Amino acid sequence: MKKFNQLIRLVSFFGVFVMTTVCLHAQQLGLGRNTPATTSAPKDEAINYAEPKDYVVAEIIVTGNQFLDPNSMISMSGLRVGDKIKVPGDAINGAIKKLMDQKILEDVEILARKIEGEQIWLEIRIKEQSRLFKVEFDGIRKGEKESLNDKIKLPKGRIISNTMIKNTQLAVKRYFIDKGFMNVKVRITQISDSTRGNATLKILVTKGAKVKIRQIVFNGRQEILEGKLRNKLKGTKQMRFGRLFTPSKFIPKKYEEDKEKIIELYNKNGFRDATIISDSIIHNPGEKTIDVVLNIEEGPRYYIRDITWQGNYLRTTEQLSKVFGLKKGDVYNPEEIQKRLEANPGQDVSSLYMDDGYLYYNCRAIEKAVEGDSIDLEMRIFEGKQATINKIILNGNTKTSDHVVLRELFTLPGQKFSKTEIINTQRQLSQLGYFDAEKIGINPVPHPEDGTVDIEYTVEEKPSDQIELSGGWGGYIGFVGTLGLVFNNFSTKNITNLKAWKPLPSGDGQKLSIRFQASGRQFQTYTLSFSEPWLGGKKPVNFGINLSHTVYRTVDYSNLYTRSTSGLKFLGSYKNTGVTISLGKRLKIPDRYFVLSSALSYQRYRMDSLDLFGIGYPNGVSNNVTLNLTLSRNTIDNPQFPRGGSSFSLSGTFTPPYSAITGNTSFSTKEAQYKWVEYHKWMFDATWYQTIAGKLVLSTRAHLGFLGRYNQNLSISPFERFVLGGSGLAGYGMFALAQDIIGLRGYTDRSLVPIYNRLSTVDASQSTSTATSSVSSLGGVAYSKYVMELRYPLSLNPSATIFGLVFAEAGNNWGTDQPQKKYKDYNPFDLKRSAGVGARIFMPAFGLIGIDWAYGFDPLPGQTNRSGPQFHFTIGQQIR
């Protein structure tokens, strides 16, 4: 009986266990899953998978989430409480697909928690993808790690997906391939932290050896020189001794670009059908070098046979053909054809129409016939209607007033549209110096319905004010400090508006300059200048005023090292005070680029016990009243780094002819002779810029100067003479106020001055004298200088424009202080030569700063040895 009771209990317990298990499975039935389950779902009598049944969703819950919002998951699934769904059916499968499409989940499973009648309780069980905690690199240097972090940009907390891992792997591999590591291998391991849902990506890089190009072979080349083909391969160079700046590593991306350049070269030379039929990369033993083989099919060279024009009614065929320039027998060059049609403003076919308002003009060059090596071209023109400028839209000038920009435009409302005038306006805006010349945008917005066009100009302000803060040791003169401030976009109108002081009122295009240079009491100079480019605001009339004062004192240095500075004894002094008022006006004839300017100046020189020029004039006051007339023309496209255009200037400076007015040509003293300075002075400056190839620019300059006298019975003025040599900076001592300081690299500062005979001893008994040669401190009365520079930009960023240069220049100075020297003996080609290299950096706050190394090939006056190597430092834009 006891055993029977135990058997009954065991059967009852087993029955309860089975029933409980069945009930549990019935409440959590798998309806659908993103990945196949490891075990089959238990059979549930409530759901017949062979016969789907409709249920109403009573409740939806989300489980397994750590960071994701459950309500968002439900929303993205597309399932809603109260919806009638078919189980099993498309609703469940669609919900899983929608969730997985979000790329944020690793797995999704939908379960039936409970079923009562026609209601069903659903559970969305998700497994979130890991989030990035950090990235670790292995096998590369620290600098490479930093560069890759900047390149792949994987932020912390980002969801780690297979796509992200694959893209990261490709980015890392591409980075090293671009460095020449063609055999690089990249493996990414994900180290998960299940407790926090984070993971670390460990990127193992095996770079292998850098692959270089041993040789490049051109098969099938006959008509184009091999050297020209190699020059076109800018990023694909074969190994050779001494190659430094263009290494011979193989970069697939650049290689593909270079192959296109080869075809472009063939096309320019008339080979219209040229193609690279195949190419191969041959790995050499060791996997460190490769051979590149290009199989080229050149095809025939084509020539132009006939050119016809269709659709031209406003311009004759003769006019179009003359401007187009190409003729029968010329090599067929599609690029040159397109350039002559529309890529040379003012000189192409499109300018004939667009400069006369025909904005909708269009011309297509059609190959009408190809026979043998000849091509007939048909130029199909659509002339369209004229367009009138409706309005000007100006964007981006946050500091400069609208009227300052608008008054410089050559495209005005009511005028006909002109392509050339738009290009000229772009150049004019760049010359203002207030905007980034590389980012001046032009967007014509046509309105065909009424035949008008709006022109939108977009500019980007750049800092234009400058500060000069420098110091240097000037030998016996001691420390010389300089402080200068230049406000290039000043506004006098807003001086009383305190809100406009940021830190000074600006935006009206005026220029205010203040400069102070000193070395204690020994040397001081003060300069204040102001200019208004549009006097009255209606016409481009430039008004300027300049005030200056300089003091220079000589010191007794006999006991320099035994006395304090306060005990220095001043032996003599030179003082100069000057004021200049100028007016300049843009001309319309011969063209708008000409400017005629005039300036009235007064300079007062005072010498106290200081023979400044070594001519026996240690004491006295000299007055210099001059009228200057200057005719100039400027078409330079960019003031910081010009790539094209030219600048010419011819000026004459005249004092009154006092000797002719007074009739006095004989003076008892030097003080009387130089009380009123008398001379006439002529200056010529010319500069050309031309782009040679790519960014390489050729700059050539020529400078000439001449100082003359009205009366041949008087000596030439000691003031305003020319002194050559060095950087061209005036420095201390002679100053630019009393002489013209002309730079000539390769020679020391102010060293190229004429030699003259100075009388040293006199023998009364024999009535003879002994003369010795000495370098004159007077300077020359005529000079010439020629410069040629090749410039290449390293950075065109407006905050720091940097370019390097190589140069050759030559110049000389000439005087007439010896009796045997006459003006007719002046030879502008008897030159002191030099060559060298240099660099320039333009920063808006400091202006142009430069350093040059130059070698002077000729001796200085009075010497026999070559000048040799010299370093030069420059500040500011050197005119001469």
Side-chain angles (χ1 to χ4, degrees):
M1 187 70 180
K2 184 176 180 181
K3 292 183 178 180
F4 179 77
N5 290 334
Q6 290 177 345
L7 181 61
I8 293 297
R9 291 192 193 101
L10 181 61
V11 171
S12 300
F13 174 79
F14 181 76
V16 170
F17 174 79
V18 171
M19 293 297 294
T20 302
T21 303
V22 171
C23 290
L24 287 174
H25 279 286
Q27 291 181 350
Q28 199 167 13
L29 181 66
L31 303 180
R33 188 172 186 177
N34 177 55
T35 57
T38 56
T39 59
S40 59
K43 184 177 179 181
D44 193 290
E45 298 300 332
I47 296 177
N48 188 344
Y49 287 90
E51 297 180 4
K53 183 179 179 182
D54 291 333
Y55 292 94
V56 175
V57 179
E59 183 185 36
I60 305 173
I61 64 172
V62 176
T63 60
N65 59 303
Q66 289 181 292
F67 303 100
L68 299 176
D69 178 48
N71 292 327
S72 298
M73 294 293 99
I74 296 171
S75 177
M76 286 187 287
S77 73
L79 298 174
R80 302 288 185 274
V81 174
D83 287 353
K84 180 179 286 189
I85 64 174
K86 192 178 292 294
V87 179
D90 294 337
I92 299 297
N93 294 333
I96 293 173
K97 185 176 184 304
K98 289 176 183 178
L99 289 171
M100 290 303 297
D101 287 345
Q102 303 303 315
K103 308 295 183 183
I104 57 177
L105 300 176
E106 186 176 325
D107 195 17
V108 177
E109 186 178 10
I110 299 181
L111 308 173
R113 297 175 50 245
K114 183 171 65 170
I115 297 176
E116 291 183 358
E118 294 184 352
Q119 289 187 318
I120 187 170
W121 281 255
L122 298 178
E123 174 188 348
I124 302 177
R125 181 177 296 174
I126 63 175
K127 183 178 180 181
E128 297 181 5
Q129 290 185 340
S130 299
R131 293 177 179 270
L132 182 64
F133 176 64
K134 65 178 178 178
V135 177
E136 294 181 351
F137 290 96
D138 194 11
I140 58 176
R141 299 190 306 268
K142 180 180 178 181
E144 293 171 331
K145 294 177 183 179
E146 294 174 351
S147 298
L148 281 170
N149 278 325
D150 293 338
K151 188 175 183 66
I152 60 179
K153 295 179 181 178
L154 294 177
K156 186 177 180 179
R158 181 177 175 180
I159 294 173
I160 301 175
S161 64
N162 292 332
T163 302
M164 186 197 78
I165 293 176
K166 188 66 175 177
N167 290 340
T168 301
Q169 188 178 29
L170 291 175
V172 173
K173 192 169 185 178
R174 191 180 302 115
Y175 172 84
F176 284 103
I177 289 176
D178 289 345
K179 299 293 183 181
F181 298 94
M182 288 185 61
N183 302 317
V184 62
K185 296 178 181 179
V186 180
R187 184 164 59 90
I188 299 180
T189 304
Q190 182 176 332
I191 304 174
S192 300
D193 182 353
S194 58
T195 58
R196 292 183 294 180
N198 292 332
T200 298
L201 287 185
K202 190 168 185 178
I203 304 176
L204 175 62
V205 180
T206 305
K207 295 191 295 185
K210 184 176 288 189
V211 178
K212 294 188 176 183
I213 304 171
R214 188 181 68 173
Q215 64 176 343
I216 302 175
V217 179
F218 300 97
N219 291 329
R221 179 206 61 80
Q222 292 181 348
E223 299 295 334
I224 302 294
L225 293 176
E226 186 173 315
K228 290 186 176 182
L229 294 179
R230 294 190 187 279
N231 287 337
K232 283 298 175 181
L233 300 176
K234 300 297 183 182
T236 309
K237 300 290 185 181
Q238 71 179 20
M239 297 169 60
R240 68 170 173 80
F241 178 77
R243 188 180 294 284
L244 298 176
F245 300 106
T246 53
S248 55
K249 58 188 178 184
F250 181 79
I251 302 174
K253 181 179 179 181
K254 291 186 177 180
Y255 173 60
E256 294 300 323
E257 294 173 354
D258 288 342
K259 287 196 296 182
E260 295 179 3
K261 292 175 183 177
I262 288 178
I263 299 304
E264 290 175 2
L265 176 63
Y266 271 101
N267 292 159
K268 289 179 183 179
N269 286 273
F271 295 94
R272 169 180 172 270
D273 302 330
T275 183
I276 299 176
I277 54 177
S278 66
D279 64 298
S280 57
I281 310 298
I282 303 172
H283 289 265
N284 296 310
E287 299 293 321
K288 291 185 178 181
T289 63
I290 60 172
D291 293 342
V292 177
V293 180
L294 297 170
N295 298 310
I296 300 173
E297 186 176 293
E298 295 179 329
R301 189 194 299 265
Y302 289 89
Y303 299 88
I304 297 174
R305 184 174 64 181
D306 191 22
I307 302 175
T308 58
W309 300 85
Q310 296 293 330
N312 55 306
Y313 302 101
L314 300 170
R315 301 290 184 265
T316 65
T317 297
E318 290 74 17
Q319 287 177 307
L320 296 173
S321 297
K322 183 178 180 181
V323 173
F324 186 58
L326 296 179
K327 58 186 181 302
K328 181 178 181 179
D330 287 341
V331 172
Y332 178 72
N333 182 352
E335 182 178 314
E336 182 66 19
I337 291 172
Q338 198 61 29
K339 178 180 177 181
R340 292 173 182 258
L341 286 178
E342 59 182 24
N344 193 10
Q347 301 178 24
D348 55 15
V349 174
S350 69
S351 297
L352 285 178
Y353 289 93
M354 288 191 166
D355 288 352
D356 196 25
Y358 291 92
L359 171 62
Y360 308 106
Y361 152 89
N362 181 38
C363 180
R364 291 188 303 148
I366 305 298
E367 296 179 2
K368 187 177 180 181
V370 179
E371 296 180 6
D373 63 351
S374 300
I375 296 179
D376 293 341
L377 292 178
E378 182 177 274
M379 304 299 182
R380 297 179 184 176
I381 293 179
F382 172 74
E383 295 177 331
K385 298 180 180 179
Q386 285 180 311
T388 304
I389 300 174
N390 177 43
K391 63 180 179 180
I392 302 296
I393 304 170
L394 183 61
N395 298 319
N397 55 316
T398 56
K399 178 180 178 181
T400 306
S401 301
D402 284 354
H403 74 274
V404 174
V405 183
L406 295 175
R407 70 192 183 189
E408 300 292 340
L409 303 184
F410 297 139
T411 54
L412 302 176
Q415 293 180 345
K416 293 179 182 178
F417 176 85
S418 173
K419 174 183 174 182
T420 299
E421 294 294 33
I422 286 181
I423 301 300
N424 291 338
T425 296
Q426 186 179 32
R427 182 194 62 83
Q428 189 72 10
L429 293 179
S430 69
Q431 285 191 339
L432 290 176
Y434 311 145
F435 311 116
D436 183 355
E438 304 292 327
K439 297 182 180 178
I440 297 176
I442 303 173
N443 180 34
V445 183
H447 302 287
E449 64 277 5
D450 59 3
T452 63
V453 58
D454 298 337
I455 302 179
E456 181 179 13
Y457 293 98
T458 303
V459 297
E460 183 175 309
E461 298 269 9
K462 70 173 185 178
S464 58
D465 297 333
Q466 298 175 5
I467 181 171
E468 179 185 353
L469 183 61
S470 62
W473 187 261
Y476 287 129
I477 202 172
F479 180 82
V480 179
T482 302
L483 175 63
L485 298 173
V486 180
F487 303 97
N488 284 306
N489 199 358
F490 190 69
S491 173
T492 55
K493 180 179 65 177
N494 290 323
I495 288 180
T496 58
N497 182 8
L498 297 181
K499 295 182 179 179
W501 286 65
K502 298 178 181 179
L504 288 178
S506 60
D508 281 342
Q510 298 159 348
K511 182 177 181 179
L512 177 66
S513 175
I514 305 170
R515 193 172 188 267
F516 170 65
Q517 189 176 35
S519 178
R521 293 184 59 207
Q522 186 179 357
F523 166 51
Q524 297 174 356
T525 182
Y526 312 86
T527 305
L528 173 66
S529 64
F530 172 81
S531 65
E532 164 59 71
W534 284 67
L535 184 63
K538 294 183 178 180
K539 293 184 178 181
V541 176
N542 186 295
F543 168 78
I545 183 169
N546 179 280
L547 305 172
S548 63
H549 179 69
T550 297
V551 179
Y552 171 64
R553 299 179 177 91
T554 57
V555 178
D556 181 6
Y557 294 106
S558 58
N559 296 319
L560 175 65
Y561 299 105
T562 60
R563 292 181 294 157
S564 65
T565 304
S566 60
L568 290 177
K569 180 181 179 181
F570 295 112
L571 301 179
S573 66
Y574 156 83
K575 296 180 181 179
N576 174 280
T577 302
V579 58
T580 301
I581 299 175
S582 61
L583 283 174
K585 182 180 180 181
R586 294 184 198 167
L587 304 179
K588 297 181 179 179
I589 299 175
D591 59 43
R592 64 165 66 96
Y593 305 114
F594 279 88
V595 175
L596 178 63
S597 59
S598 60
L600 184 63
S601 176
Y602 171 72
Q603 300 279 342
R604 185 177 187 271
Y605 309 105
R606 181 182 182 89
M607 271 70 69
D608 292 317
S609 302
L610 175 62
D611 191 356
L612 188 64
F613 304 112
I615 59 173
Y617 180 37
N619 296 285
V621 175
S622 297
N623 300 280
N624 187 5
V625 179
T626 60
L627 174 66
N628 174 274
L629 299 175
T630 301
L631 180 65
S632 61
R633 185 179 188 271
N634 188 347
T635 59
I636 293 175
D637 59 354
N638 186 329
Q640 275 73 56
F641 184 77
R643 295 172 177 170
S646 60
S647 174
F648 297 89
S649 174
L650 175 64
S651 69
T653 303
F654 312 93
T655 66
Y658 300 109
S659 59
I661 296 174
T662 62
N664 188 5
T665 60
S666 177
F667 300 95
S668 59
T669 63
K670 296 286 186 180
E671 290 83 356
Q673 180 180 353
Y674 296 123
K675 181 177 181 180
W676 294 97
V677 182
E678 178 179 319
Y679 64 86
H680 57 91
K681 186 176 183 179
W682 302 85
M683 305 290 287
F684 175 75
D685 302 287
T687 304
W688 296 267
Y689 295 97
Q690 178 65 48
T691 299
I692 302 300
K695 297 180 181 180
L696 186 65
V697 175
L698 173 65
S699 168
T700 54
R701 306 199 307 269
H703 308 279
L704 303 172
F706 173 81
L707 184 68
R709 54 189 168 186
Y710 299 112
N711 196 315
Q712 298 299 317
N713 296 320
L714 295 176
S715 60
I716 298 177
S717 166
F719 299 95
E720 299 299 323
R721 293 199 179 198
F722 308 110
V723 178
L724 271 68
S727 62
L729 300 178
Y732 55 87
M734 291 303 175
F735 319 114
L737 299 177
Q739 291 182 326
D740 259 321
I741 310 298
I742 313 297
L744 187 64
R745 291 166 289 188
Y747 301 87
T748 54
D749 289 347
R750 303 179 297 281
S751 60
L752 289 174
V753 289
I755 296 290
Y756 75 105
N757 291 329
R758 173 177 290 171
L759 196 65
S760 58
T761 61
V762 177
D763 188 335
S765 62
Q766 299 183 13
S767 300
T768 60
S769 63
T770 302
T772 59
S773 294
S774 174
V775 177
S776 169
S777 60
L778 280 172
V781 298
Y783 90 95
S784 59
K785 175 184 173 182
Y786 312 96
V787 183
M788 183 174 68
E789 291 182 348
L790 281 174
R791 301 178 170 188
Y792 190 85
L794 304 177
S795 169
L796 293 176
N797 191 319
S799 61
T801 301
I802 307 172
F803 60 90
L805 55 91
V806 295
F807 64 87
E809 65 183 30
N812 208 349
N813 206 356
W814 184 80
T816 62
D817 296 290
Q818 298 186 63
Q820 69 271 24
K821 292 287 186 180
K822 304 297 181 184
Y823 281 121
K824 65 180 181 180
D825 297 326
Y826 168 58
N827 182 359
F829 301 105
D830 179 15
L831 305 171
K832 305 293 185 181
R833 302 156 301 164
S834 66
V837 297
R840 298 289 184 273
I841 176 171
F842 178 86
M843 294 183 291
F846 297 96
L848 190 66
I849 301 173
I851 186 170
D852 296 296
W853 178 91
Y855 187 91
F857 297 104
D858 297 293
L860 292 170
Q863 299 183 10
T864 57
N865 296 327
R866 291 184 176 184
S867 176
Q870 304 283 339
F871 276 100
H872 304 287
F873 179 75
T874 58
I875 301 176
Q877 190 81 36
Q878 300 297 102
I879 299 176
R880 302 181 180 95

